Amino acid sequence: MGAADAAGLLAGYLLDAALGDPRRFHPVAGFGTAAGALERRIHRPNRTAGTAYTAIAVGVPALAGLAAARVTRRHPVARFAVTAAATWTVLGARTLRRESRTMARHLTAGDLPAARGRLGHLCGRDPSALDEPELARATVESVAENTSDAVVAPLFWGALLGPAGLLGYRAANTLDAMVGHRSPRYARFGTPSARLDDVLNLAPSRLTGLLTVAVAPVAGGTPAETLRVWRRDRNDHPSPNAGQCESAMAGALGVRLGGRNVYFGRSEVRPFLGDGPRPKAVHLRRAARVSGAVGAAAALLAAAFAAARGSISRGTP
């Protein structure tokens, strides 16, 4: 089924590129609603409850993907359709690029209220006091991290595990966004979801960094300079994965990221990543180009790996 998975990954990627996320009845939104209802039922302020929650909320979609893969293992056309639909469901590449360009238009027009109102589509920072450079920085950092989370990582796990990898990864990543952050309610309950997401993104985030190095010329950067910044700064970030993506993006754009991030009710100070000026509107359009090029390269690599995986499986006695 490697050829069917490979074709399905490419078809799903192209569907996302052409159509983007469904505006209504998005399956991921439906999963979030169901996961929220489950969380309200079993929440306890401890990691045991959080582990059970994570196992159920991730295990059910992963098992559904595994069941779909098994049912279609002798039916290549059906397997292609299942993989394509799952890939389209979990990717967010077009939406990510659109949000970056929309923010660029607001900043270019000097419309800070509109830009502040739009930031919530990308990240959870408090935009009320952010000026143009800080809004641009928040956008670039979000585009960099989400290029891994919403594009490279799902393709990576889809290439390895087919539909089960696609759906299981997206479930884990969605849970991290819902309960993996630091707050009184989720300080312990959300830890298992956050740790699972960290583990699942270890390889994809580093692949994202390497691909960003390779495609840096689409943003006017150079692979050599991007590699220098990435190697120097990638481990300075408190996240084991976000720094891989953000430092490479900083190198490709020739900007400096990091600094004080204000969320609703708390603030964090992040180390600086990259050299050069703070980002501006023009850098958001370049970040969108980098994200698009990284996604296209990841889709081709994922399809090639899935096809090779299928060939190896057929040749195994």
Side-chain angles (χ1 to χ4, degrees):
M1 287 293 105
D5 276 348
L9 287 166
L10 287 177
Y13 173 81
L14 292 174
L15 282 170
D16 176 74
L19 303 176
D21 292 330
R23 294 189 179 275
R24 300 179 63 187
F25 308 116
H26 196 298
V28 175
F31 168 80
T33 300
L38 176 65
E39 186 265 323
R40 288 189 294 273
R41 287 185 64 88
I42 71 173
H43 178 273
R44 301 289 186 278
N46 58 66
R47 294 183 182 180
T48 300
T51 299
Y53 172 69
T54 303
I56 296 168
V58 176
V60 170
L63 288 173
L66 181 62
R70 289 184 65 84
V71 167
T72 59
R73 68 185 185 276
R74 300 185 187 279
H75 305 281
V77 174
R79 178 62 168 266
F80 161 79
V82 166
T83 303
T87 303
W88 180 29
T89 295
V90 304
L91 291 185
R94 180 185 173 96
T95 298
L96 186 61
R97 296 193 301 273
R98 183 184 69 232
E99 290 299 328
S100 186
R101 290 167 180 148
T102 298
M103 182 67 79
R105 287 197 299 272
H106 290 324
L107 293 181
T108 299
D111 192 347
L112 289 184
R116 289 169 180 152
R118 198 76 189 184
L119 187 63
H121 291 245
L122 283 170
C123 65
R125 298 182 200 179
D126 182 356
S128 58
L130 299 185
D131 57 11
E132 177 184 346
E134 285 301 295
L135 287 164
R137 176 173 73 85
T139 301
V140 169
E141 290 173 355
S142 296
V143 168
E145 184 174 3
N146 282 299
T147 297
S148 178
D149 288 358
V151 187
V152 176
L155 290 168
F156 177 90
W157 288 108
L160 280 177
L161 301 175
L166 290 163
L167 299 182
Y169 170 78
R170 176 48 66 205
N173 188 246
T174 302
L175 287 194
D176 180 58
M178 293 175 63
V179 305
H181 52 86
R182 297 172 184 171
S183 70
R185 180 174 177 83
Y186 299 129
R188 296 181 65 81
F189 180 84
T191 298
S193 294
R195 294 295 174 265
L196 176 61
D197 184 70
D198 285 344
V199 170
L200 293 179
N201 280 293
L202 284 172
S205 64
R206 285 149 181 81
L207 176 59
T208 300
L210 288 170
L211 291 176
T212 301
V213 169
V215 306
V218 305
T222 66
E225 175 63 11
T226 305
L227 179 63
R228 182 188 71 82
V229 172
W230 179 62
R231 293 180 64 183
R232 184 192 69 189
D233 296 345
R234 58 182 175 161
N235 293 320
D236 291 344
H237 198 284
S239 164
N241 300 316
Q244 304 289 329
C245 316
E246 292 179 18
S247 61
M249 183 69 82
L253 300 182
V255 298
R256 187 179 71 174
L257 303 177
R260 183 169 177 260
N261 295 344
V262 178
Y263 300 90
F264 294 93
R266 62 187 176 89
S267 65
E268 298 178 4
V269 177
R270 304 283 176 81
F272 292 123
L273 307 174
D275 305 310
R278 304 301 265 170
K280 299 186 293 186
V282 65
H283 296 114
L284 305 190
R285 297 186 178 91
R286 295 174 186 171
R289 290 201 295 271
V290 170
S291 181
V294 168
L300 292 173
L301 287 174
F305 185 90
R309 171 172 55 82
S311 298
I312 293 171
S313 297
R314 287 195 303 273
T316 301

